[in-house]
Amino acid sequence: MATQTSRSEFSYPNPFRSRLALAVGLAVYLAAQGFLVNAPLWNRPLPPELDDSITYVLKTKLLQEGLWRKVSPAMADLQQQLHLPVDDPAATRQQALAGSRLFPFYHPIFSFSLIALNSLGLDLTTAFKVVWSLGPLIFGLALAYFLTSLFGAAAAGLALILLAFKVFPDSGLHCVVPSNLAMALAVLIWGRLVKRQGQAPWTLALGSLALVLMHPIGAIYAVMSVVLACLLADPQNRRTPRLLMLATLAAVALLLVLSSFEKIPFIPNLLKMPGSGFSPVAMARGAAHSALEVIASIVRTGGGLFGSPPLFLAASALGLFTLPGQARRAVVRILSVNLVFLGGVLFYLSNHPADIFLRLWIPLVVVLFGLVGHALVFAWRLSVLSWPDLRDHPGRLWSGGLKLLLPALLAALLTGYAVEMSVKGAEIIATTAEYLKTNQPLDFSPTQPRLLLSLARPGDKVFYNSIIIMPYFLSQGASRLGAVYFHPAFQAASGLSRWLSLPELRFAAVYNPLVYHPSFAGRDEHKWWLLYPDFYFSPLSRPNKFGPLARNGHLEAADFRWLELEVRTGEAPKLLRVNITNPGGPSSLELLPISEAGAVIAAGKITAPVPALWSGWLSLDLSGAPQVKRYRIVLPAGAPSLRINGLSFGGDRLLWPWKQKAGLTLMPRADPGEITVSFDPAALLPAPLRDKKITILDDRGSAVLLQVE
């Protein structure tokens, strides 16, 4: 108790100010992280990190329908296709990529939260966005409790301010996913263990069960929690019910062992060592490779994560050595357990050991920033205590030398370091928010799966060629139909290509041709999108700077100088309609006929005004213009918010010119190279399906729904 009293007297002379510091720190954290999470979340039609987000929604849908106990028709088909042994390594790789989006672990607790919101009237995608938006509050409260239990309220508040301007590599805390929610639950358990000196058996038992049901990484956190409970227990006061602690550890271990023999849909098989088994050489090689990936990920954040590494380590060391004995022992033990488990993860030969490390290391970093916060409190407190003596006896400054100014200099140095690091972190937060908003800019219309289900017969199958479109349709109820996934690499594998000849294959859901860019050619779908921005320049970095031509299903006028539409079948059109959204001021479009030789016919120019704050179809009468089959639409340079949602000849009900099998050529403003895409429906499907009768049912958004007769 004497130790606790000395800590209180030294670091927290005023409880109100300490609590105020904690409240301010939490408010800053919620403001900064809330902006990072919610600014992109609610300014795009679908959640950020769309490929992962749709996977979580799909698993919730399957769990909601009870399909994780009985295999749905779509999953039954896909299991046959994606688990079929093939000799071609390229086809095997594409099977694994698609399977990673369809057959991962379930996350019952996370899914039940979405189902609960769904029962209140929200669709699952919106429910997912609501849970995501609550992330900063969940993480902020969990970290505040954990840090307060270790360092007190004032230091916890300062640490939260520092953490507010952090973007952790990989999924970080800006992605509210089950692994991060498991981390929040884990630090709550650890905070309770610290406050109770390891004697929180029911928190440990129930919390460990919740961790295992939250995410596979929760099993690691559960084992860490049991170890921490043992280490934090007071040797002179052993009231901790060890039997319950051991039972918790045994239960987690039993679940992991059972997962090796019986597939449990939400328990990871951590005992399986993929690839190389227990080979020491392979494990060492894998650990070195993973360590390099981790270091590279940290370096890419520049100075926004740790600022100056020497100053960060020095401040952490100062915070550790100035802690009271009991608090220091708790911090050392928590750091030691985290370091041991992180080292073990590096040697664990999974497919993504570096990813696991970067998800598991966040509590360690939080504790280190807690030490920096305590160092700041210590320096400021020391400076304040020395000020009255210098004020009342200024002559002592000269007799005592500059050592009397050391507390103030130390406080100024640490404060300057913290401010500089936070400013750099704020820049990273703004850049990351923009990245989350613009990456994977896709918009899928829920009317398409509903239309599909209304037209399909029992036993029908749907063709997919995208590992993003397919989970979306399945999450919207299409799991009740059969499914055929096809990648060009499957063409040489007869066991996979035969699925294209099935008579039950009557529908297809594929990308709109405008979800394309020449830089996508030859690349896997998950590599099409913009890469996470590098905040530290390296000549080794080769980021993908291009996304789809159409963002969220529409063309941005700011991206292109002009568009040229060419009719490739049928007669010269009499009417061209342009579907426009103009949230800005008055603007206009120019239409120029193009001769067969490719020359602009200036005499046939048509200027069409676009009203301000207007959305709808703009009709251009071509009957008085030269009768050609190609027209150029010049987009206004001064209307960056103008969007083109569709181009259609005549009175076609569809948004894009499929009937004319038109070609669309786009001239980007930033790149002088022309890009041409085709609206020929047959071009959307693999060769074995192109001879069939193909009907476009719906082309809204980034996907196209087709019927194949």
Side-chain angles (χ1 to χ4, degrees):
M1 295 300 295
T3 302
Q4 292 292 338
T5 302
S6 63
R7 183 181 82 158
S8 178
E9 288 178 352
F10 181 80
S11 299
Y12 311 104
N14 189 317
F16 171 77
R17 291 178 183 174
S18 298
R19 289 193 291 268
L20 179 62
L22 178 62
V24 170
L26 183 59
V28 172
Y29 183 91
L30 294 178
Q33 293 292 311
F35 167 79
L36 171 60
V37 168
N38 288 287
L41 180 65
W42 299 105
N43 284 284
R44 50 178 292 156
L46 292 171
E49 302 295 337
L50 186 57
D51 47 356
D52 289 334
S53 301
I54 287 181
T55 299
Y56 290 121
V57 174
L58 171 61
K59 287 183 286 186
T60 300
K61 183 67 173 180
L62 296 179
L63 197 66
Q64 186 181 35
E65 295 180 346
L67 298 179
W68 68 284
R69 293 171 305 196
K70 56 179 182 178
V71 180
S72 67
M75 290 300 181
D77 286 344
L78 293 168
Q79 284 178 354
Q80 294 183 54
Q81 298 165 59
L82 301 179
H83 293 159
L84 180 70
V86 294
D87 295 331
D88 187 355
T92 302
R93 182 171 179 275
Q94 295 302 327
Q95 284 178 307
L97 288 175
S100 67
R101 294 294 167 197
L102 297 170
F103 311 122
F105 297 107
Y106 289 89
H107 309 111
I109 292 182
F110 181 77
S111 293
F112 289 153
S113 67
L114 300 186
I115 293 172
L117 291 172
N118 180 242
S119 67
L120 298 177
L122 298 178
D123 63 88
L124 288 178
T125 302
T126 304
F128 182 86
K129 295 176 75 171
V130 169
V131 172
W132 190 309
S133 69
L134 295 175
L137 180 62
I138 296 171
F139 298 140
L141 293 175
L143 296 180
Y145 179 78
F146 179 49
L147 290 167
T148 302
S149 70
L150 284 172
F151 306 105
L158 293 175
L160 284 173
I161 293 175
L162 297 177
L163 290 167
F165 301 100
K166 297 290 171 284
V167 177
F168 291 94
D170 198 57
S171 58
L173 292 181
H174 55 280
C175 296
V176 185
V177 291
S179 61
N180 285 336
L181 294 176
M183 183 280 301
L185 178 57
V187 297
L188 283 174
I189 296 172
W190 298 356
R192 177 68 172 168
L193 291 173
V194 170
K195 285 182 175 291
R196 300 282 298 175
Q197 294 185 342
Q199 301 182 48
W202 290 110
T203 299
L204 180 63
L206 298 178
S208 297
L209 177 62
L211 284 170
V212 172
L213 296 178
M214 180 68 76
H215 188 272
I217 207 171
I220 303 177
Y221 282 126
V223 176
M224 293 173 70
S225 299
V226 174
V227 174
L228 282 173
C230 296
L231 294 177
L232 294 173
D234 186 355
Q236 298 177 354
N237 186 3
R238 300 203 176 266
R239 292 177 298 172
T240 304
R242 293 183 181 80
L243 290 179
L244 186 54
M245 293 169 55
L246 293 175
T248 301
L249 183 59
V252 173
L254 180 62
L255 285 172
L256 298 180
V257 171
L258 287 176
S259 69
S260 299
F261 304 100
E262 181 69 26
K263 184 177 180 182
I264 304 174
F266 47 82
I267 303 297
N269 187 353
L270 294 177
L271 303 181
K272 182 180 179 181
M273 306 291 285
S276 305
F278 286 93
S279 167
V281 175
M283 293 175 70
R285 186 184 300 116
H289 184 267
S290 299
L292 288 176
E293 287 188 21
V294 170
I295 293 172
S297 297
I298 296 173
V299 168
R300 288 193 186 104
T301 62
L305 187 56
F306 295 120
S308 168
L311 281 177
F312 176 74
L313 293 175
S316 300
L318 176 63
L320 181 63
F321 289 119
T322 55
L323 276 175
Q326 184 175 338
R328 188 187 309 126
R329 283 192 296 272
V331 169
V332 168
R333 290 169 186 179
I334 290 175
L335 291 176
S336 299
V337 170
N338 276 269
L339 287 172
V340 168
F341 276 79
L342 287 172
V345 164
L346 286 179
F347 283 91
Y348 175 69
L349 300 183
S350 73
N351 293 328
H352 306 287
D355 291 350
I356 298 175
F357 183 99
L358 290 173
R359 296 184 187 211
L360 201 64
W361 82 318
I362 294 177
L364 173 71
V365 179
V366 168
V367 174
L368 293 177
F369 274 105
L371 290 173
V372 175
H374 179 73
L376 282 165
V377 171
F378 173 82
W380 289 347
R381 174 68 174 150
L382 206 61
S383 178
V384 169
L385 289 176
S386 65
W387 168 246
D389 193 39
L390 288 175
R391 181 192 59 198
D392 298 336
H393 307 89
R396 292 185 180 179
L397 176 61
W398 308 107
S399 61
L402 292 178
K403 66 180 182 180
L404 295 177
L405 286 179
L406 285 180
L409 293 175
L410 177 62
L413 175 64
L414 290 177
T415 303
Y417 159 70
V419 170
E420 181 190 21
M421 178 173 54
S422 297
V423 169
K424 291 180 178 178
E427 180 183 5
I428 291 179
I429 280 184
T431 305
T432 304
E434 182 63 23
Y435 161 78
L436 291 173
K437 178 182 175 181
T438 57
N439 187 42
Q440 297 179 340
L442 301 174
D443 183 16
F444 301 134
S445 172
T447 60
Q448 291 182 350
R450 289 199 291 266
L451 177 61
L452 169 65
L453 292 173
S454 69
L455 297 175
R457 303 187 298 249
D460 282 349
K461 299 185 187 298
V462 185
F463 168 86
Y464 304 99
N465 63 356
S466 162
I467 57 177
I468 293 183
I469 291 179
M470 180 166 56
Y472 176 80
F473 268 72
L474 298 182
S475 71
Q476 297 293 314
S479 58
R480 297 193 289 272
L481 303 174
V484 175
Y485 174 71
F486 190 80
H487 186 276
F490 295 171
Q491 188 66 53
S494 59
L496 295 173
S497 59
R498 72 173 181 83
W499 286 79
L500 298 179
S501 61
L502 295 177
E504 300 89 353
L505 185 58
R506 296 186 57 241
F507 298 93
V510 297
Y511 276 128
N512 186 297
L514 292 171
V515 183
Y516 169 79
H517 191 276
S519 65
F520 297 173
R523 297 168 65 92
D524 295 333
E525 185 181 352
H526 71 282
K527 294 183 179 180
W528 288 2
W529 320 108
L530 301 176
L531 294 182
Y532 193 86
D534 284 338
F535 301 100
Y536 178 84
F537 173 76
S538 169
L540 301 177
S541 177
R542 296 291 185 271
N544 178 23
K545 299 180 180 179
F546 300 102
L549 298 174
R551 298 190 222 164
N552 300 315
H554 53 254
L555 298 169
E556 303 274 356
D559 294 341
F560 304 99
R561 299 177 186 275
W562 48 258
L563 314 172
E564 282 190 3
L565 200 58
E566 179 184 9
V567 175
R568 293 180 176 175
T569 183
E571 300 179 351
K574 302 297 183 181
L575 177 70
L576 173 62
R577 298 191 305 154
V578 185
N579 192 293
I580 293 177
T581 297
N582 180 25
S587 187
S588 64
L589 298 179
E590 292 183 355
L591 184 72
L592 298 170
I594 306 294
S595 68
E596 292 186 7
V600 174
I601 304 176
K605 175 181 176 181
I606 299 175
T607 300
V610 180
L613 304 176
W614 181 79
S615 180
W617 285 100
L618 186 67
S619 297
L620 303 176
D621 185 5
L622 306 179
S623 58
Q627 296 301 292
V628 297
K629 291 190 174 184
R630 186 167 184 169
Y631 291 89
R632 174 179 296 182
I633 301 172
V634 180
L635 301 175
S641 57
L642 190 72
R643 300 194 299 266
I644 307 296
N645 308 309
L647 296 167
S648 175
F649 291 112
D652 198 331
R653 64 177 179 81
L654 298 172
L655 289 173
W656 301 99
W658 305 99
K659 184 178 179 180
Q660 294 78 17
K661 300 181 180 180
L664 179 64
T665 301
L666 307 95
M667 174 60 77
R669 295 186 189 275
D671 188 344
E674 298 179 4
I675 302 172
T676 300
V677 298
S678 171
F679 285 96
D680 182 354
L684 302 177
L685 301 174
L689 299 177
R690 292 175 185 171
D691 294 335
K692 298 188 177 184
K693 180 183 178 181
I694 302 171
T695 304
I696 304 293
L697 299 176
D698 193 294
D699 62 348
R700 281 172 285 187
S702 303
V704 180
L705 178 64
L706 306 92
Q707 186 168 3
V708 182
E709 299 291 345

